[in-house]
Amino acid sequence: MGKVMAFARLDFQTIRVYLNLKALGIFLVVAVAVGWSTGSDAALLAVPAAMECSWATYPCAMSEKANLDTLYTTLSLSRRTVVRGRYVFALLLVLASLAGGYIVAAALSLVRRQPFEPLLPLGELGLLFAVFSVVIAAQLPIIFKLGYTAARFLAYVPMIGMIVVIVGMGSLSQQEWMASFLTAASTWLLSHPAAVVAILVLVWAAALLGSYALSVRFYAKRDF
Amino acid sequence: MSDIPNQAFELRDLTKAYDGFRLGPISFALPRGYVMGFIGPNGAGKTTTLKAMINVIHRDGGEVKISGVDSRVVSMEEVGVVMDTPMYVGEWTIEALRLAIKPFYAQWDDSIFTARLRDFDLDPTKQIKDLSRGMGVKLQIAVALSHHATLLILDEPTSGLDPVAREEVGDLLRQFVADERHSVLFSTHITSDLERVADYITFILDGRVVFSGTTGDLMEKYVRVAGDPSDLSAGQRDLVIGYSSHPTGFDGLLEAAHRAELPPSVLTEKPSLDDIVIYMNKGAHRG
């Protein structure tokens, strides 16, 4: 585990120069603007986290640009360690951005003199972490297979796909049959919260493990 | 008796195929304590070989041993790799590089790194993207020395350097092998760099090793020949490697062992490494 965490730290150092005050400023402006205009904690947390998703794959871009895959070999890092470390880094980055959004949400409530429910956004935070980590999990195997430059546009497909699904669900919910299905589903879900959490955790874990297994297989075959 | 293997590295029947290019099977080895120049024209397979040695690319077949251990499992702490451009983030300062890579080397020595930076006139606050090519090579050598590498593998380190910088790199390599446990494998297509530095030469052409041995043996193995084309029969001409005729005569390379088979009127002289590479390359691609 020591080498995996050391690699995640190396990934952070790789993009650290870009995580400057300007980047932090953009993050804060977007978070505050979204939170203020929508009044929604979920939106406040989600939009900056979506921005961070692109940062999560940025070490892959830097690896390609600066020939870091050769460096990793000279550092006695196995390919499996590189993949594992990159997943850890990506998940920690999403977690950090959501935590940042959580702090902004709390601060914004204070400024607007609105009540802040500490536990409610935590649930949203957990759900958003799951969603965004799955988006990254969908992107990383493509990048490990093709390299960042070749996979750059393809890797956005999962994120675009997620948006399409959300928008599609929104318009479908206007349909009577869908509305009644959603009502029934909501009723069931609300009456079985533990099962819902278990299913979500299982789906999330399966997505991440499947993605990791593919990435290990793809990266192991690459020549640099 | 020392438990350190006598050979710094050994390649046995190494192969790697790409679309349109096939390396090997190639075999060569370097005794510990020496510098080997790895020469050949561009596209001969030098970089492919070096990358296969450090597992940046996968070999299709054969064996690579470093200090007697399969290169796929050997600790890279023993190996210092110097690429033609540094494999570091351009925006890192040299100090940031130290902090980034130090945790991965059990034997990293900050005092050596600091001393080498001072020796090489490298400012720790300077960004890597602002280093000249020569400074980039020196930085990578400083890193290798700081984790106590015993084998340096350098890919075209002098390419694009001016003569003064090339001389400095040559001096660094000579200093490195002053310690008899240290060895260097140094690929280049600028063969003049090697005549002063290399104890051994491996010459690769079209993915095949055409010579591997001491520099002295290579230089003695061939002679440069020149003369009047009419002095040579067709059979004698076939002995001349890279035979080239021009209005003032012919020239080429000959295995010294065949000298007696050519008429005395043919002039012979000691070839340079460049001559050997050029004529061998011509010979391989003729007809």
Side-chain angles (χ1 to χ4, degrees), chain A residues 6-7 9-10 13-14 17-18 62 65-68 70-71 73-77 79 220-224, chain B residues 16 18 51 54-58 75-77 81 83 86-89 91-92 99-101 103-105:
Chain A
F7 181 82
R9 186 168 168 269
L10 180 62
Q13 284 169 308
T14 298
V17 285
Y18 300 101
M62 293 302 294
K65 182 183 167 195
N67 200 16
L68 297 184
T70 301
L71 174 67
T73 305
T74 67
L75 297 177
S76 296
L77 289 164
R79 303 227 173 167
K221 289 181 179 170
R222 293 275 305 280
D223 282 342
F224 300 103
Chain B
K16 175 71 181 177
Y18 290 117
K51 284 185 168 181
I54 59 170
N55 306 306
V56 174
I57 61 172
H58 299 286
S75 164
M76 289 299 284
E77 194 122 6
V81 177
M83 305 303 281
M87 50 201 162
Y88 310 132
V89 176
E91 285 74 13
W92 279 346
L99 294 171
I101 63 174
F104 298 96
Y105 291 114

Side-chain angles (χ1 to χ4, degrees), chain B residues 249-263:
Chain B
F250 81 90
D251 58 57
L253 198 68
L254 181 78
E255 280 199 34
H258 294 306
R259 176 64 189 93
E261 296 171 45
L262 262 56

Side-chain angles (χ1 to χ4, degrees), chain B residues 51-128:
Chain B
K51 284 185 168 181
M53 286 180 73
I54 59 170
N55 306 306
V56 174
I57 61 172
H58 299 286
R59 53 192 191 241
D60 294 338
E63 275 186 310
V64 178
K65 287 187 175 176
I66 292 174
S67 294
V69 180
D70 189 319
S71 70
R72 287 175 292 206
V73 294
V74 75
S75 164
M76 289 299 284
E77 194 122 6
E78 287 190 41
V79 184
V81 177
V82 178
M83 305 303 281
D84 57 348
T85 50
M87 50 201 162
Y88 310 132
V89 176
E91 285 74 13
W92 279 346
T93 61
I94 292 175
E95 174 60 9
L97 164 70
R98 183 186 70 81
L99 294 171
I101 63 174
K102 179 183 169 179
F104 298 96
Y105 291 114
Q107 296 190 66
W108 180 268
D109 190 328
D110 272 336
S111 61
I112 292 179
F113 189 65
T114 306
R116 291 293 85 81
L117 293 187
R118 204 169 39 239
D119 293 347
F120 299 162
D121 226 6
L122 292 167
D123 176 359
T125 62
K126 200 160 189 173
Q127 285 191 310
I128 285 159

